[in-house]
Amino acid sequence: MWIDLFWLIASLGLILWGANLLTDGASSIAKRLGMSELTVGLTVVAFGTSAPELAISVLAAINGNAPMAVGNVVGSNIFNIFVIIGVTAIVRPIVIKRSVLSVEIPIVILAAAVMLVMGMSTWLDGASANVVTRSYGIFLLIFFMLFMRYTFATARTAPQPSDDPAAQGAASIQLMPAWRSSLYIIAGLGMLVGGGDKFVDGASGIARVLGMSDAVIGLTIVAAGTSLPELATSVVAAIKGRSDMAVGNVIGSNIFNTFFVLGTAAVITPLPFGEIGTFDLSVQLLATVMFCTFGWLFGQRTITRPEGAILFLCYIAYTTLLLIKI
């Protein structure tokens, strides 16, 4: 038990460190190649913050812990909205741009709806089990490529004023020598793979000792652990008055998690949902709908402190129900 807990904590630190190195190295190379600052922020940096989820989900799938891989994605998406948006709004109300409410957030809702449909295969198609098949994985990756195409297209046409948070964030990217950037990328990937492997082992060991399933561990401990970078980034952005960065962090992470992380893991090996059922997938969809609704409420395009508290309490209620069902 204690050995598993040690590896859980140590490997999580290794994963977060690796993700940071990977992001710094890739961002430097992208900037050196002439990519716009906004494009770097929306693509390379967003990928870096989702790297822990990618490493853990793929390695969990390879090691035969498919429910943990799916649970990591679903749990991270729920945590991102209920906890990260909730806590961030409590710290400082979040103002959301109209374009984000009209385009980006609906894409997040679509991603959650697609996962709900995949998780209802036994009911819709009469299948023997709910599984994210390889064909579903390819379908998700196609969605991801379309999103990336949209991101690059809008990045080329969107103005980049000096006071734009995304532009400021990209401008702060350290331009390193090519050899150091490459070293950071290689070291970061190595830490992600090694840390992810040990994290899955530690989480599985704790699950067996506590009588918790891989799915529940993925929905709670693993999801919360891999979402720590997003939580820290969003809270700091809110304190500095950069609400766009906080919102973009969550939106980008959820889209990457569903379309890229889950799609990649499913292409490697089909992923049975296991104990992750309609309830968990419906909560994920509910969270995204609440996010959008609170943004449009009263025409203020603002997530207020009371609304942030409601989101956070929803996560407490959801987690409590999960633990009661053990």
Side-chain angles (χ1 to χ4, degrees), residues 85 88-89 92-98 100-101 105 165 238 241-248 291 294-295 299-304 307:
I85 292 296
T88 302
R92 184 166 185 167
I94 304 173
V95 180
I96 306 176
K97 288 184 177 178
R98 186 179 298 275
V100 173
L101 283 168
I105 293 181
R242 298 179 176 179
S243 58
D244 283 354
M245 186 178 296
V247 173
F291 184 21
F294 284 167
Q300 299 297 315
R301 292 186 286 108
T302 301
I303 308 294
T304 63
E307 290 168 346

Side-chain angles (χ1 to χ4, degrees), residues 33-323:
L33 292 176
M35 294 175 63
S36 71
E37 294 175 342
L38 181 59
T39 303
V40 171
L42 290 173
T43 56
V44 179
V45 177
F47 173 80
T49 57
S50 292
E53 285 90 342
L54 176 64
I56 289 175
S57 290
V58 169
L59 288 168
I62 292 174
N63 292 337
N65 294 324
M68 183 180 292
V70 179
N72 181 29
V73 170
V74 176
S76 292
N77 289 348
I78 293 173
F79 186 92
N80 285 348
I81 295 177
F82 279 158
V83 177
I84 296 180
I85 292 296
V87 171
T88 302
I90 292 172
V91 172
R92 184 166 185 167
I94 304 173
V95 180
I96 306 176
K97 288 184 177 178
R98 186 179 298 275
S99 60
V100 173
L101 283 168
S102 302
V103 180
E104 278 82 6
I105 293 181
I107 294 177
V108 179
I109 295 176
L110 173 65
V114 167
M115 281 201 69
L116 178 60
V117 171
M118 289 190 297
M120 297 174 63
S121 299
T122 55
W123 182 69
L124 293 174
D125 302 326
S128 58
N130 294 319
V131 179
V132 185
T133 61
R134 284 193 173 91
S135 57
Y136 280 151
I138 294 172
F139 175 72
L140 292 174
L141 289 177
I142 291 173
F143 258 106
F144 174 73
M145 288 187 287
L146 291 174
F147 169 72
M148 294 300 293
R149 176 68 181 86
Y150 161 78
T151 299
F152 278 103
T154 55
R156 283 197 300 267
T157 58
Q160 297 184 39
S162 59
D163 61 345
D164 180 48
Q168 290 178 359
S172 64
I173 294 172
Q174 180 184 1
L175 190 60
M176 298 179 288
W179 67 267
R180 184 182 297 177
S181 300
S182 301
L183 182 62
Y184 273 32
I185 291 174
I186 295 172
L189 287 172
M191 290 179 182
L192 285 171
V193 173
D197 187 50
K198 288 299 183 181
F199 191 96
V200 171
D201 290 343
S204 299
I206 292 175
R208 287 190 294 268
V209 171
L210 299 179
M212 299 171 66
S213 67
D214 287 340
V216 174
I217 285 287
L219 286 166
T220 54
I221 298 175
V222 178
T226 56
S227 294
L228 288 178
E230 288 90 341
L231 176 59
T233 301
S234 293
V235 171
V236 170
I239 293 173
K240 294 182 178 180
R242 298 179 176 179
S243 58
D244 283 354
M245 186 178 296
V247 173
N249 185 28
V250 169
I251 291 174
S253 178
N254 278 30
I255 291 174
F256 268 76
N257 286 345
T258 302
F259 291 148
F260 185 72
V261 174
L262 190 64
T264 301
V267 168
I268 293 174
T269 180
L271 305 174
F273 278 83
E275 294 184 12
I276 300 169
T278 305
F279 171 71
D280 305 295
L281 299 173
S282 297
V283 170
Q284 179 184 216
L285 180 59
L286 173 64
T288 61
V289 172
M290 289 177 66
F291 184 21
C292 186
T293 302
F294 284 167
W296 283 115
L297 207 58
F298 307 122
Q300 299 297 315
R301 292 186 286 108
T302 301
I303 308 294
T304 63
R305 285 190 173 92
E307 290 168 346
I310 291 173
L311 292 174
F312 183 72
L313 290 174
C314 284
Y315 185 77
I316 298 298
Y318 169 69
T319 304
T320 300
L321 289 174
L322 282 182
L323 297 178

